[in-house]
């Protein structure tokens, strides 16, 4: 077979999924209006934009964090509808550009559905050309109306400037079922927290956990920029009625002395505003290179020890609402080295293992919120 023939076949495989979508016969609705429910953007009611930190805040943010706040990692749109087809129109701040992450994970939406009262199930991912900043996509189309609870997960590594939801002209759209608890679980961290490098948005570990634990989640992972600055602690402390704070930012701190300086201050800022809200400190998952490069394993061990000792000291001083999880255990004992894309960022398998490991810990810590 000639090279040209192979290229023709590959081009057909790439082009085939992108069907023509009749979007003119749909009713287009803004998810910024009721009855849609948006999670993951604590300041959206005030700012009206899909941003994970407040816009125009008096807090001076590092430039990288301010930019990454527009990436919509962890954002979710929830609603109930009887439409026979579900479409979206999206305009993003940029196109797919990452070598180690799919366009669907960086720039796409994925769709989970459930019959009322049933668990969510993954259905589909928006299909679009990776070089596009704007696209229209279809999540499903049935032969008849079906009442379903829908969750759409936002892109992990791109911003969303505009979003519209397309349904049948005569479709009803209602509020989604309530969470078991409306208090958010807030996770602060690195590119791993942000979702690098899940194949699609629903496989970031915060999104996996949201399907396991029926609370709203706020993902404050900032790729390469989760360094524990006090400004971020103050903004986290401003989030109303948190159920839990998770601190998973070791991976961006470098020398152990850096996290030794930042962690006690970060925790104290949260504690001053939320004296009894559980705080879970999670050390970093192991990178493949930690076992092979001289000095890296020692640095990894020192940073982990710093975090554990900080938690133990606070508990000894009477703070029984702070806890530690050893990140070295999150990927499991067998096959942990096969759970990343590049030795650092988890695959879907890695994220699933992280979520499964964290689930019982988080459920235990937020259990008091579910008691009558």
């Amino acid at each position: 077979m000639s090279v040209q023939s192979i290229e023709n076949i590959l081009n057909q495989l790439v082009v085939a999924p992108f069907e023509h979508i009749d979007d003119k016969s749909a009713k287009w609705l803004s998810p910024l209006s009721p009855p849609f429910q948006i999670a993951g953007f604590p300041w959206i009611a005030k700012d009206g934009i899909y941003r994970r930190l407040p816009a125009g805040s008096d807090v001076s943010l590092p430039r990288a964090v301010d930019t990454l706040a527009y990436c919509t990692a962890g954002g979710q749109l929830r609603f109930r509808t009887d439409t026979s087809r579900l479409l979206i129109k999206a305009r993003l701040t940029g196109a797919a550009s990452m070598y180690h992450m799919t366009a669907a994970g960086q720039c796409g939406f994925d769709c989970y559905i459930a019959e009322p009262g049933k668990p969510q199930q993954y259905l589909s991912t928006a299909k679009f050309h990776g070089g596009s900043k704007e696209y229209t996509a279809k999540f499903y189309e049935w032969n008849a109306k079906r009442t379903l609870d829908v969750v759409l997960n936002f892109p992990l590594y791109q911003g969303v400037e505009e979003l519209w939801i397309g349904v049948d002209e005569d479709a009803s759209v209602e509020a989604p079922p309530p969470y078991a608890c409306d208090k958010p679980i807030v996770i602060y961290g690195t590119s791993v927290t942000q979702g690098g490098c899940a194949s699609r948005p629903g496989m970031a570990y915060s999104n996996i956990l949201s399907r396991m634990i029926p609370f709203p989640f706020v993902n404050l992972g900032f790729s390469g920029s989760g360094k524990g600055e006090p400004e971020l602690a103050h903004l986290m402390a401003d989030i109303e009625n948190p159920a839990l704070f998770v601190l998973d930012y070791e991976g961006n701190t470098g020398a152990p002395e850096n996290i030794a300086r930042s962690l006690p201050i970060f925790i104290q800022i949260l504690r001053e505003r939320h004296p009894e809200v559980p705080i879970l400190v999670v050390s970093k998952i192991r990178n493949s290179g930690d076992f092979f490069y001289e000095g890296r394993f020692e640095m990894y061990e020192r940073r982990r020890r710093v975090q554990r000792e900080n938690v133990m000291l606070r508990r000894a001083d009477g703070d029984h609402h702070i806890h530690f999880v050893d990140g070295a255990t999150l990927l499991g004992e067998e096959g942990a080295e096969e759970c990343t894309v590049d030795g650092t960022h988890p695959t879907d398998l890695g994220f699933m293992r992280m979520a499964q490991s964290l689930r019982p810990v988080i459920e235990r810590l937020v259990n008091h919120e579910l008691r009558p």
Side-chain angles (χ1 to χ4, degrees), residues 95 203 294:
M203 294 310 295
E294 185 176 352

Side-chain angles (χ1 to χ4, degrees), residues 188 228-229 232-233 236 247 262-270:
Y188 171 68
E229 297 95 341
L232 271 297
M236 284 179 65
L247 305 183
S262 68
L263 186 61
I265 297 170
F266 205 102
I267 292 171
Q268 184 58 32
I269 291 169
L270 297 178

Side-chain angles (χ1 to χ4, degrees), residues 160-171:
V160 176
E161 293 181 344
E162 192 170 346
L163 180 64
W164 295 89
I165 305 300
V167 297
D168 298 338
E169 284 283 1
D170 61 346

Side-chain angles (χ1 to χ4, degrees), residues 43-251:
W43 292 271
I44 195 168
K46 175 178 177 289
D47 297 333
I49 57 176
Y50 305 110
R51 179 176 157 90
R52 294 180 292 152
L53 294 175
S57 170
D58 293 335
V59 174
S60 179
L61 294 172
R63 179 178 296 181
V65 172
D66 190 45
T67 299
L68 289 165
Y70 286 101
C71 294
T72 53
Q76 293 183 334
L77 178 64
R78 304 172 69 244
F79 56 99
R80 176 175 289 178
T81 183
D82 65 354
T83 187
S84 66
R85 62 174 181 156
L86 181 63
L87 313 174
I88 63 163
K89 284 184 181 179
R91 187 173 77 239
L92 309 180
T93 54
S97 59
M98 300 172 72
Y99 83 93
H100 56 352
M101 190 167 178
T102 69
Q106 184 182 356
C107 300
F109 290 78
D110 62 14
C111 176
Y112 283 74
I113 61 172
E115 295 181 352
K118 299 293 182 62
Q120 295 177 37
Q121 289 185 289
Y122 167 72
L123 177 65
S124 61
T125 302
K127 296 176 182 177
F128 62 97
H129 291 284
S132 301
K133 290 174 59 176
E134 299 184 34
Y135 58 83
T136 300
K138 179 168 62 179
F139 289 118
Y140 64 74
E141 185 168 13
W142 320 120
N143 292 326
K145 291 184 179 298
R146 299 173 62 181
T147 297
L148 296 168
D149 294 324
V150 177
V151 177
L152 303 183
N153 292 295
F154 278 66
L156 298 172
Y157 266 78
Q158 198 53 267
V160 176
E161 293 181 344
E162 192 170 346
L163 180 64
W164 295 89
I165 305 300
V167 297
D168 298 338
E169 284 283 1
D170 61 346
S172 67
V173 178
E174 303 173 5
Y179 291 108
C181 177
D182 286 331
K183 295 184 176 183
I185 294 171
V186 185
I187 308 178
Y188 171 68
T190 65
S191 55
V192 173
T193 309
Q194 187 172 334
C197 292
S199 66
R200 56 182 176 81
M203 294 310 295
Y205 84 81
S206 66
N207 285 337
I208 297 173
L209 284 167
S210 77
R211 297 191 291 277
M212 297 174 170
I213 303 170
F215 282 57
F217 277 72
V218 176
N219 183 322
L220 295 182
F222 300 104
S223 187
S225 304
K227 299 182 179 181
E229 297 95 341
E231 293 83 359
L232 271 297
H234 283 294
L235 290 177
M236 284 179 65
D238 285 342
I239 295 174
E240 294 183 5
N241 296 319
L244 170 69
F245 292 116
V246 181
L247 305 183
D248 180 18
Y249 74 92
E250 175 199 334

Side-chain angles (χ1 to χ4, degrees), residues 274-296:
H274 303 282
E276 295 186 354
V277 171
I279 296 174
L280 178 63
V281 177
V282 181
S283 66
K284 185 178 73 67
I285 61 173
R286 285 178 175 163
N287 293 356
S288 298
D290 292 338
F291 300 96
F292 296 100
Y293 288 96
E294 185 176 352
R296 276 184 50 170

